[in-house]
Amino acid sequence: MENKSRNINISIVLVFIGTLFYFFANFHRIAIPGAIFDVLEQELKVTAPYITIFGAIYMYIYAFTQLINGILVDRFGGFRIILTGASILSIGALLFPLSHNLFIMYLSRGLVGMGSSMFYLSLIRELREIVSEKNFGMAISIMLFIGYTGGIFANAPFVYAMRHASWREILLVLAIITIIALFIFLILVSKIKLPKINKQIKMRALPFKLVLHKRHNRNLFSFACCNFAIFYTIQTVIGKKFLEDFCLMSTYKAASFLSFMAIIAALFNIINAYVCKLTHNHRVKFLKHASVITFCSLLLICSALLFNIRTELIACIFCILAANASLSAILVPVLHLTNRKMISGTAVSIMNFCFFITVGILGTATGLLLNIFEPIKRGNVTVYTNDSYLLVFGMFLALSVFEMYKAMKLSNKY
């Protein structure tokens, strides 16, 4: 009995350290290139497509690993996967600030993306083992909140810290902290008895076929990935740069708005679920309204660009998009209601894949579109023109039309 209690206590500490890894994963996902877009352009002497690929590589790797992480966690257990992910994350996080070669920096971003992808499902798996059913939802909420604060620190606090140290020095310190946490995790995990590897769990194509065969699932994935990817591309790639170039905000003020977006995104995962519950859980109707809000928000931004209305109210529209894209607490129950239990987990993993692969594609396209029109120089800073940003946000607007079309095809009949 005493030994069991000791194992539970150690497991709680391990989950806490794993949550810190999740914090760092969110930090790296949002901070690069968004918070240091201009700095990277100046230091590396490259144009926008080479900078946006830093975010795209992370997203592509993160997305594809979502498809296999559920299998890996079921086969090897959460703590083994967290240990693997933390090791890969540490290597990538250390390599990036130490590198000056573009190829090596791209490689390090791929490693960070791969390592970062291994924490979410692993932590949920281990929380299920150590927390009662009554407290399970609250435990996940706390874990997610700590993780999301990584996105908050990735903008304004990160930019403020760069007044006192270079971005390389800051990221190097964070990498060292990650490595120290990794060694503590390794020592503690060796002191508990891990479950045996379940060799019966294997990768199979059938669950994926069953999920994708349903038209309702395909429509939901199409809506969800557009809704999320538009907001997340703004937050992680182009939002801060756009506020500086078009709205003429200072670096710190723009970063503050991006941090506020992260706070809103974290809070509205709970608020949207609560509001949906108050409306008798008409989830599909809620999603349809969300698609209209996305379209109207982007139409306003494109209008401001078209008529050269340089207003800071655009930052408020960004915050609306952040709130409107925080729909996981609604989307996941819809998937569970519309799919059999044996494939509902696969459906969630496919949706996560759709989220981040679309962000990667939009990030890549953003860099290419920004470079179509010749940028201008404002001191040492490269400034992209209204025409360039109109192409980018026009792409987002077109995608929102497709999102709205797919949302309207969703059925209220489960």
Side-chain angles (χ1 to χ4, degrees), residues 57-184:
I57 286 174
Y58 181 109
M59 298 301 174
Y60 290 140
I61 300 295
Y62 192 99
F64 279 105
T65 48
Q66 290 303 305
L67 296 176
I68 62 171
N69 276 341
I71 303 295
L72 293 175
V73 170
D74 288 340
R75 183 179 174 91
F76 296 102
F79 286 143
R80 290 190 183 96
I81 301 303
I82 290 173
L83 183 60
T84 304
S87 302
I88 298 171
L89 171 65
S90 297
I91 295 169
L94 184 64
L95 199 57
F96 189 80
L98 293 177
S99 305
H100 291 81
N101 178 279
L102 203 56
F103 175 78
I104 300 297
M105 294 177 80
Y106 287 155
L107 175 63
S108 69
R109 285 296 289 169
L111 291 172
V112 171
M114 182 181 294
S116 297
S117 71
M118 298 184 180
F119 302 127
Y120 176 72
L121 290 176
S122 301
L123 287 166
I124 289 178
R125 168 66 179 267
E126 295 303 333
L127 280 172
R128 189 178 292 277
E129 296 296 323
I130 62 175
V131 178
S132 67
E133 190 66 33
K134 179 182 177 182
N135 298 317
F136 184 54
M138 182 59 68
I140 291 178
S141 298
I142 293 170
M143 182 268 287
L144 288 174
F145 182 80
I146 294 172
Y148 285 153
T149 56
I152 297 168
F153 278 86
N155 275 294
F158 183 31
V159 171
Y160 181 79
M162 283 192 286
R163 294 180 178 180
H164 308 284
S166 73
W167 67 269
R168 291 183 183 275
E169 291 170 338
I170 296 165
L171 292 185
L172 189 59
V173 169
L174 293 179
I176 292 170
I177 293 172
T178 306
I179 293 169
I180 292 170
L182 171 61
F183 277 110
I184 296 171

Side-chain angles (χ1 to χ4, degrees), residues 246 297-309 390 397:
F246 181 71
S297 299
L298 290 166
L299 185 62
L300 287 172
I301 295 173
C302 287
S303 299
L305 280 163
L306 193 62
F307 297 105
N308 197 32
I309 304 171
L390 191 57
L397 181 63

Side-chain angles (χ1 to χ4, degrees), residues 21 26 72 251 260 263 289 295 335 351 356:
F21 292 139
N26 278 279
L72 293 175
T251 297
F260 190 56
I263 295 171
H289 290 159
F295 171 77
L335 285 175
M351 184 175 71
F356 292 103

Side-chain angles (χ1 to χ4, degrees), residues 7-21:
N7 283 348
I8 291 175
N9 290 335
I10 294 175
S11 295
I12 291 171
V13 177
L14 288 170
V15 166
F16 176 74
I17 297 173
T19 305
L20 290 180
F21 292 139

Side-chain angles (χ1 to χ4, degrees), residues 4 9 23 29 33 39 50 64 124 133 162 202 204 235 242-243 267 270 301 327 340 348 368 373:
K4 183 179 179 181
N9 290 335
F23 168 92
R29 185 162 63 199
V39 179
Y50 294 94
F64 279 105
I124 289 178
E133 190 66 33
M162 283 192 286
K202 296 179 181 179
R204 295 186 302 137
Q235 183 170 27
F242 172 72
L243 292 176
L267 291 176
I270 300 170
I301 295 173
L327 299 173
R340 284 178 286 170
V348 174
L368 295 173
F373 294 100

